[in-house]
Amino acid sequence: MTAVTAFDLVVSAWGWALLNFLWQGAVIGGVAALLLALLRGAPARWRYAVCGLALALCLGLPLLQCLDVAPSEADFIGELSPLAAEMPALVGAWALGAALMLGRLALGLAWVARARRRSTPAPAAWQARLDALAHRLGLKRPVRLRLLPDLAGPIALGTLKPCVLLPAALLTRLPVDLLEALLAHELAHVRRWDYLANLLQSAVEALLFFHPVVWWLSARMRAERELVADDLSAALLGDAAHHREQVARRWGL
């Protein structure tokens, strides 16, 4: 009889955790869909919390099953299911897919680093406007406003040293009040640490890339995140013209 190594046991435990997550994820998705339907008229932050909790469960259930219900050597040898022999191939396929997805995430982070290096400081007057908005939002971390010519729209980047990247052309194209609405929206993301939340969310997508419920929850979470930021920035600006018509219909301007 071939000796069973600790590595064999881990591969088997993780393989079964992934298989079980196929139905567990479907259950999580069904419950989340029901809660989101019930919360249709509630504040966006509640729906955001439901999506975040559901994604955390999606990652936590396989990990808990792998760590706490790992099979003993006797269980491994005596496993009767025909799927047992396929566990190494299953885990290998998952590892390849997760590696590709994590590589995609790494490329995104590299783009962020490059964008920050290529950007230039905004004029002092606009940095002062951003600082004033950040103060009103209660932000303690300094936030830099930087310009990047070929950017599609404003984005907030970073956690400990956040910055707002703005397409340079917007400074001359947009009215001051609409530009302030855009900046307030991005500062709301900074205040809520949404950049870090998005990174964690992307990591869950990479690890559980094979389940459609994860992608649905993640997309819904990103949509609700924008609504939460809209609510926070609208409160900051006193609901100025319905937050400048929801920031000109989300940058369509």
Side-chain angles (χ1 to χ4, degrees):
M1 182 178 295
T2 304
V4 178
T5 66
F7 178 76
D8 294 328
L9 297 176
V10 170
V11 167
S12 178
W14 186 238
W16 285 113
L18 292 176
L19 281 179
N20 283 329
F21 178 64
L22 293 176
W23 67 266
Q24 291 168 347
V27 171
I28 292 172
V31 173
L34 176 61
L35 290 174
L36 291 172
L38 293 174
L39 294 172
R40 186 176 293 114
R45 65 180 182 275
W46 293 9
R47 297 189 297 274
Y48 182 81
V50 168
C51 294
L53 178 59
L55 273 181
L57 283 173
C58 284
L59 182 61
L61 282 178
L63 290 176
L64 284 175
Q65 182 172 338
C66 183
L67 294 175
D68 297 340
V69 196
S72 66
E73 183 171 340
D75 293 335
F76 181 88
I77 295 172
E79 181 60 62
L80 297 179
S81 170
L83 288 175
E86 305 301 325
M87 287 303 136
L90 174 67
V91 173
W94 167 83
L96 177 60
L100 291 174
M101 293 299 298
L102 289 171
R104 175 173 171 262
L105 176 58
L107 288 176
L109 293 175
W111 180 90
V112 167
R114 182 168 176 267
R116 293 189 73 151
R117 288 194 303 269
R118 291 176 53 230
S119 64
T120 57
W126 276 106
Q127 181 64 59
R129 286 179 183 272
L130 185 80
D131 292 341
L133 289 170
H135 178 74
R136 289 166 60 188
L137 264 176
L139 272 166
K140 304 300 182 184
R141 292 166 289 157
V143 183
R144 299 291 94 194
L145 179 61
R146 301 183 67 84
L147 305 179
L148 192 62
D150 54 353
L151 198 62
I155 53 174
L157 303 175
T159 51
L160 298 179
K161 296 181 178 180
C163 76
V164 173
L165 290 186
L166 193 69
L170 291 189
L171 287 184
T172 55
R173 279 180 50 205
L174 295 186
V176 170
D177 56 351
L178 182 52
L179 193 49
E180 281 194 335
L182 285 170
L183 295 178
H185 178 93
E186 298 307 321
L187 285 174
H189 285 306
V190 175
R191 177 181 166 179
R192 290 173 35 81
W193 298 82
D194 281 341
Y195 182 79
L196 178 60
N198 190 57
L199 282 180
L200 295 174
Q201 186 179 335
S202 297
V204 175
E205 290 174 349
L207 295 174
L208 301 175
F209 64 91
F210 58 91
H211 207 301
V213 164
V214 170
W215 291 102
W216 170 71
L217 282 171
S218 193
R220 185 64 187 267
M221 188 173 177
R222 287 193 171 93
E224 298 297 344
R225 178 181 294 137
E226 294 302 319
L227 295 178
V228 174
D230 279 345
D231 291 344
L232 191 56
S233 53
L236 172 68
L237 298 174
D239 198 30
H242 193 54
H243 195 224
R244 298 305 172 208
E245 284 304 313
Q246 293 294 46
V247 190
R249 295 300 177 194
R250 187 80 60 224
W251 308 340
L253 308 175

